[in-house]
Amino acid sequence: MTDRYTHLVNTGFTATLAKRLGLPQPAILRRFRAGDPLVPGPVLVLGPDTHDGSDSDAVAQHLLGLGLDVHRSPTTGTARWGAVVLVLTEIERVEDLSEHVLAAGSVLKQTARGARLLTLARESTADDAPALAAARQAVVGLTRSLAKELRAGATANGLVLSGGAAVGGEGVLAPLRWFLSARSAFVDGQLLTVGAADVVAQDDGRPLDGRVAVVTGAARGIGAAIARTLARDGAKVVCVDVPAAGEHLAKVANEVRGTALQLDITADDAGERIVEHARARHGRLDVVVHNAGITRDKLLANMDAARWDSVLAVNTAAQLRINEVLLASDLFRDAPRIVSLASTSGIAGNRGQTNYGASKAGVIGMVRATSPLLADVGGTANAVAPGFIETEMTARIPFATREVARRLNSLQQGGQPVDVAEAVTFLASPGAGAVGGQVLRVCGQNLVGA
């Protein structure tokens, strides 16, 4: 779907006119294209470096190994910074932040379009001394606030290391590369917690080679984009949707060279049919993406049982039943991944969507409780929570309401279905093996909600 305003204020005479009039000028976001560099310029890595083997040094060495132009202090030059990585895992007091954060601030006016700022910090826990907890939690506020200051399609996000997660481990480095890349274009102001699970280094070009993925609701929109992105990254995809969407479903399945399964996911035997299709056609099952969902919006005062029950049945109860089958299946045992579509409505709520908000909040609770059940086989369950995404559904929103919803985020625009698909595909990849029970918002840092 075209955001005509964003196009106009970035091209030709209308771009100049918009600048003179002081109109908002949302940037054309840097999105993934095969062959593009990881970041659009040199990388500045900042953080305590007072001993051999410091965390900031480990990050710098990793990025040097990728062939990037890495610097350890702000320098003057003609190239604009493509990324700034603030490694704050070793700070102990809020006073320790000053030197490194202000050094990052000194280069923000010299960053490239679509630059990335990424913080790394340790998780704050109730067992920490107050001063240490304050220092660690301060990084959260710093990251989210900075994301609201950046311009030209730049984003700020953070990794929060929990337990014994090591900065030099692939469990941390794979998410770090994803956040620096163009694949995270519409993820802004988010902090992802990374655990200590062992993660094997992956091929970022085709991390899903040899894996079999199921996508529900794959006939159109976000589901179709997810199927295409999983296939791009090497997965064999089973596309699932209701029989009424059969023609579109077949088209997507053919496009990604996968298989189609016409199925109502609310059927009692939906889980068994998914497992048996994967077994019969592909011999394995590694990833299940619960994308299918519906809305039946109404103020609660006017809500009838049919609207309430149908939304909860499709958006939450069906996923729970399918997951029970997956957890019991011998086919779902090789570091499996479950990725569910939640929504910012399930986090912040939305007028007229008590049923939808309840169903998506239920998804968040479900993945939090499901992920530990997969730990013994190296599996994870996570959720992606889209904000305003340009789809056929949002195109039907009245113009004025749509424009307000589209602009109320730090990037001043709606996301594209591929932005959600990139997040789903990352969480489905081997590199996300240390990320479990999390919710990753793809909302451009929507100003409503947490």
Side-chain angles (χ1 to χ4, degrees):
M1 299 295 167
T2 302
D3 177 357
R4 186 168 298 175
Y5 177 82
T6 298
H7 175 74
L8 288 174
V9 298
N10 280 282
T11 53
F13 167 74
T14 47
T16 303
L17 181 63
K19 188 173 184 179
R20 287 178 178 173
L21 294 175
L23 296 175
Q25 289 186 281
I28 302 294
L29 299 184
R30 179 171 68 95
R31 291 189 168 90
F32 176 78
R33 293 186 305 180
D36 282 357
L38 183 69
V39 290
V43 182
L44 177 61
V45 178
L46 298 169
D49 189 20
T50 56
H51 60 88
D52 290 338
S54 69
D55 286 347
S56 55
D57 191 51
V59 170
Q61 289 299 320
H62 176 69
L63 297 176
L64 279 169
L66 299 176
L68 300 177
D69 181 11
V70 179
H71 298 249
R72 298 303 307 278
S73 62
T75 54
T76 56
T78 55
R80 287 186 169 271
W81 297 103
V84 179
V85 183
L86 264 170
V87 186
L88 303 171
T89 49
E90 295 169 308
I91 62 169
E92 297 179 348
R93 307 170 303 156
V94 289
E95 291 88 342
D96 297 337
L97 291 168
S98 178
E99 174 188 354
H100 316 295
V101 173
L102 294 179
S106 72
V107 303
L108 291 182
K109 293 181 180 177
Q110 288 86 46
T111 53
R113 295 180 71 86
R116 299 285 184 264
L117 192 140
L118 189 67
T119 61
L120 278 75
R122 290 277 169 194
E123 185 179 37
S124 169
T125 72
D127 295 332
D128 292 337
L132 179 60
R136 291 174 169 176
Q137 192 67 29
V139 179
V140 175
L142 153 71
T143 305
R144 287 181 169 153
S145 297
L146 181 55
K148 296 182 178 180
E149 296 182 5
L150 298 178
R151 294 291 181 266
T155 62
N157 294 287
L159 294 177
V160 180
L161 280 58
S162 68
V167 166
E170 183 67 5
V172 173
L173 296 175
L176 180 147
R177 295 194 299 275
W178 187 80
F179 271 116
L180 293 182
S181 77
R183 299 171 194 256
S184 63
F186 201 58
V187 180
D188 197 13
Q190 304 306 304
L191 292 114
L192 195 65
T193 299
V194 179
D198 290 334
V199 174
V200 177
Q202 66 178 25
D203 173 2
D204 284 348
R206 290 178 66 86
L208 294 169
D209 256 346
R211 308 287 278 177
V212 174
V214 169
V215 182
T216 67
R220 291 186 177 86
I222 291 174
I226 292 170
R228 295 185 185 107
T229 308
L230 289 167
R232 180 203 67 190
D233 282 5
K236 183 65 73 177
V237 183
V238 178
C239 301
V240 177
D241 217 314
V242 293
E247 184 177 346
H248 289 284
L249 182 67
K251 184 178 178 181
V252 174
N254 289 336
E255 178 186 339
V256 302
R257 299 186 177 183
T259 56
L261 173 61
Q262 294 185 14
L263 174 69
D264 179 352
I265 61 167
T266 63
D268 289 342
D269 64 346
E272 287 83 359
R273 289 185 59 190
I274 287 172
V275 169
E276 287 313 309
H277 178 97
R279 189 193 304 276
R281 301 295 296 274
H282 306 289
R284 61 185 298 145
L285 177 56
D286 307 292
V287 176
V288 171
V289 180
H290 292 297
N291 165 71
I294 62 172
T295 56
R296 298 290 185 270
D297 296 351
K298 212 70 168 175
L299 295 176
L300 184 59
N302 302 321
M303 184 78 68
D304 55 44
R307 290 175 186 272
W308 179 271
D309 292 341
S310 60
V311 169
L312 271 293
V314 173
N315 295 0
T316 315
Q319 294 190 28
L320 284 163
R321 276 199 303 275
I322 292 171
N323 287 351
E324 287 179 3
V325 176
L326 296 174
L327 289 166
S329 172
D330 61 357
L331 204 65
F332 205 60
R333 286 289 180 272
D334 184 9
R337 301 280 186 267
I338 294 173
V339 186
S340 293
L341 269 290
S343 167
T344 52
S345 293
I347 299 171
N350 202 21
R351 177 181 166 83
Q353 289 196 314
T354 52
N355 52 357
Y356 188 73
S359 71
K360 293 301 186 181
V363 165
I364 293 170
M366 178 188 69
V367 298
R368 188 184 301 137
T370 302
S371 199
L373 304 179
L374 291 165
D376 287 346
V377 292
T380 62
N382 292 285
V384 170
F388 184 93
I389 303 297
E390 306 283 357
T391 64
E392 292 179 8
M393 183 180 73
T394 55
R396 292 194 291 269
I397 297 174
F399 174 77
T401 305
R402 184 171 70 244
E403 276 301 294
V404 170
R406 180 183 271 157
R407 307 298 168 200
L408 279 179
N409 63 68
S410 295
L411 297 173
Q412 299 180 310
Q413 60 192 284
Q416 297 295 323
V418 71
D419 298 326
V420 180
E422 294 282 13
V424 168
T425 301
F426 161 64
L427 292 172
S429 71
V435 181
Q438 299 285 301
V439 180
L440 181 57
R441 288 176 55 160
V442 182
C443 64
Q445 197 181 27
N446 195 306
L447 303 187
V448 178

